[in-house]
Amino acid sequence: EYINAYEEWNRIMDEFLVIYNRNKELDKSLFKTFFIVEKIARILNATKRIYNVVGIGIIAAGAVLSLFIQHLINDNPYSLSFLRVVFFINVLSNASTYFFVHKRLFLQASEDLHVVYTVDSVVNFVGSILRIAAIALFKNYYVFVILSALQAVASNFLVGWCCDRRYPAIKG
């Protein structure tokens, strides 16, 4: 009877050691994962800061260039104010992509391109319908250009939002 109890005790201790070692490996794995996520978050934040500086630089350069736009375009049939407004709206549209590109790049790196493609396709479809309706209803090019700029901002914002939802650990 003592031998059976001793064997049972050894079996229980062996199982305990197996479970303990498994949990220890799991803890190491979780610890490594935590530091990898922290490292990715730091890299994304650094990338975000760099792209924000680039976006602000593009806006500043666009503002300066808009002052000299009459010298950049020959034989212009449009008014100078019209050209400046349209030019600056396009500059803002292009610069806005730099404020969200870090999350788009992360989704591409994590092989979640389907998210990017889906968002871009839906936003392009809705944006095209809105621009066609705007031209038909308002017959105003400013509305068309503003809707184009809003489409770019909406697409980038939604890609960022999807990234935050899929990867809340790197949200920031």
Side-chain angles (χ1 to χ4, degrees):
E1 193 171 303
Y2 290 113
I3 294 174
N4 286 341
Y6 179 74
E7 287 175 359
E8 185 65 24
W9 174 255
N10 282 339
R11 190 181 62 75
I12 291 171
M13 290 308 292
D14 286 343
E15 286 181 24
F16 174 76
L17 288 174
V18 167
I19 291 170
Y20 173 76
N21 286 333
R22 229 184 263 150
N23 284 341
K24 200 164 100 176
E25 290 301 315
L26 182 63
D27 287 346
K28 285 181 187 176
S29 173
L30 289 174
F31 198 65
K32 286 180 185 177
T33 303
F34 173 75
F35 280 109
I36 290 171
V37 169
E38 283 294 313
K39 195 175 202 177
I40 290 171
R42 277 189 270 131
I43 290 169
L44 274 178
N45 284 331
T47 306
K48 178 182 178 180
R49 285 191 298 271
I50 290 167
Y51 279 115
N52 283 347
V53 169
V54 171
I56 291 168
I58 289 173
I59 292 171
V64 170
L65 286 175
S66 70
L67 299 174
F68 302 103
I69 200 161
Q70 68 273 15
H71 303 295
L72 300 173
I73 301 174
N74 295 330
D75 300 327
N76 175 26
Y78 302 104
S79 71
L80 185 58
S81 62
F82 175 80
L83 283 178
R84 283 185 175 151
V85 169
V86 170
F87 176 76
F88 201 68
I89 289 172
N90 282 309
V91 166
L92 288 175
S93 173
N94 289 324
S96 72
T97 61
Y98 287 94
F99 299 114
F100 298 99
V101 76
H102 62 287
K103 291 185 180 179
R104 185 178 289 265
L105 291 173
F106 176 77
L107 287 174
Q108 290 174 346
S110 62
E111 297 181 0
D112 281 334
L113 286 174
H114 64 282
V115 174
V116 174
Y117 293 148
T118 302
V119 168
D120 286 344
S121 297
V122 169
V123 171
N124 285 339
F125 179 74
V126 171
S128 296
I129 290 173
L130 288 175
R131 285 194 313 270
I132 290 169
I135 290 291
L137 291 174
F138 302 112
K139 296 175 180 38
N140 187 331
Y141 187 67
Y142 286 126
V143 174
F144 180 84
V145 172
I146 289 170
L147 285 174
S148 296
L150 289 176
Q151 176 183 334
V153 170
S155 180
N156 289 313
F157 177 78
L158 289 173
V159 166
W161 180 78
C162 288
C163 182
D164 289 343
R165 295 227 6 175
R166 287 180 78 82
Y167 302 100
I170 60 155
K171 184 179 178 179

